[in-house]
Amino acid sequence: MPVYVKDIMVTPVLTITEERTVQEAAKLMGRKRKGCIIVTRRGKPIGILSDSDIIKRIVAKDIKPSKVKVKEVMSSPLITISPEDDILTAARKMKRANIHRLPVVSRGKLVGIISLSDIAKTSPELLDLLEERLRMREEEPRIREETTVGICESCGNYSDTLRYVNGQWLCETCVEEFE
């Protein structure tokens, strides 16, 4: 059963208008203990300002945050996701864009935000399974008489009873299909 963005998104979302200063944004982010703030124009989301944006674009360049408007340093265009999408789609979108947060938008309206941390908190057991599967793929199959334990080289599923057939380790289902 898939987990949807709407099931784990965080609401309400911290927002600030594009004409406010970076200093105001940073103070608000600090007060609310948030790592980012969504920048809006006439109530519509147009960009995002993260703590790393502030560090790279303001602090590292020794620019006074009270003199810079958020619209000048925000990340834009805004990459968003629908609340109806599943979290796998969200994770893939974040990976492709090399970002850690996605504003959730429905019919042009900001309804939430989702982060990689939210996804990880929702399904830590999934992360454990993925790590185990990757580890198993790196290991050579252990031979026990005619069968072994590991990942089927045809379907990619784990099996306690892999058989070596024509140079591949196959699970019972794939062996039956092969024969």
Side-chain angles (χ1 to χ4, degrees):
M1 183 169 125
V3 177
Y4 295 100
V5 169
K6 66 183 173 186
D7 298 328
I8 66 168
M9 69 183 186
V10 175
T11 59
V13 183
L14 195 58
T15 63
I16 194 163
T17 60
E18 65 180 329
E19 294 299 323
R20 303 295 284 270
T21 67
V22 172
Q23 181 179 24
E24 291 172 301
K27 282 183 178 179
L28 186 55
M29 289 165 61
R31 198 167 48 249
K32 298 292 185 175
R33 299 184 59 160
K34 298 292 180 184
C36 74
I37 192 165
I38 302 299
V39 182
T40 62
R41 178 186 299 140
R42 292 186 290 281
K44 301 284 185 198
I46 60 165
I48 187 169
L49 183 67
S50 69
D51 45 12
S52 64
D53 291 331
I54 295 170
I55 291 167
K56 291 175 192 169
R57 299 174 186 165
I58 301 295
V59 176
K61 294 180 179 179
D62 199 25
I63 298 172
K64 193 166 185 169
S66 61
K67 302 290 182 195
V68 180
K69 300 208 182 291
V70 293
K71 69 180 177 182
E72 296 171 42
V73 293
M74 69 182 182
S75 294
S76 182
L78 195 59
I79 299 168
T80 65
I81 194 155
S82 164
E84 304 305 320
D85 286 327
D86 62 48
I87 62 171
L88 186 56
T89 302
R92 285 180 179 146
K93 197 175 236 193
M94 285 186 236
K95 182 181 178 193
R96 237 184 340 265
N98 194 27
I99 57 176
H100 299 158
R101 300 170 185 97
L102 281 174
V104 182
V105 176
S106 180
R107 294 186 210 111
K109 184 180 178 203
L110 182 66
V111 295
I113 192 162
I114 186 171
S115 71
L116 285 176
S117 299
D118 298 326
I119 293 171
K121 282 187 242 172
T122 300
S123 47
E125 64 283 346
L126 241 129
L127 295 175
D128 293 341
L129 287 171
L130 285 172
E131 283 177 0
E132 180 67 13
R133 186 169 177 174
L134 288 172
R135 185 188 60 74
M136 290 174 68
R137 282 188 176 216
E138 292 169 0
E139 290 179 4
E140 286 294 317
R142 297 182 309 271
I143 297 175
R144 280 193 227 145
E145 298 172 16
E146 294 181 4
T147 63
T148 188
V149 174
I151 301 291
C152 174
E153 292 181 36
S154 177
C155 68
N157 289 326
Y158 172 82
S159 175
D160 288 328
T161 55
L162 291 178
R163 285 188 35 210
Y164 197 70
V165 179
N166 280 357
Q168 285 189 313
W169 288 99
L170 304 176
C171 66
E172 291 175 24
T173 305
C174 291
V175 168
E176 288 171 12
E177 289 174 9
F178 181 76
E179 294 172 344

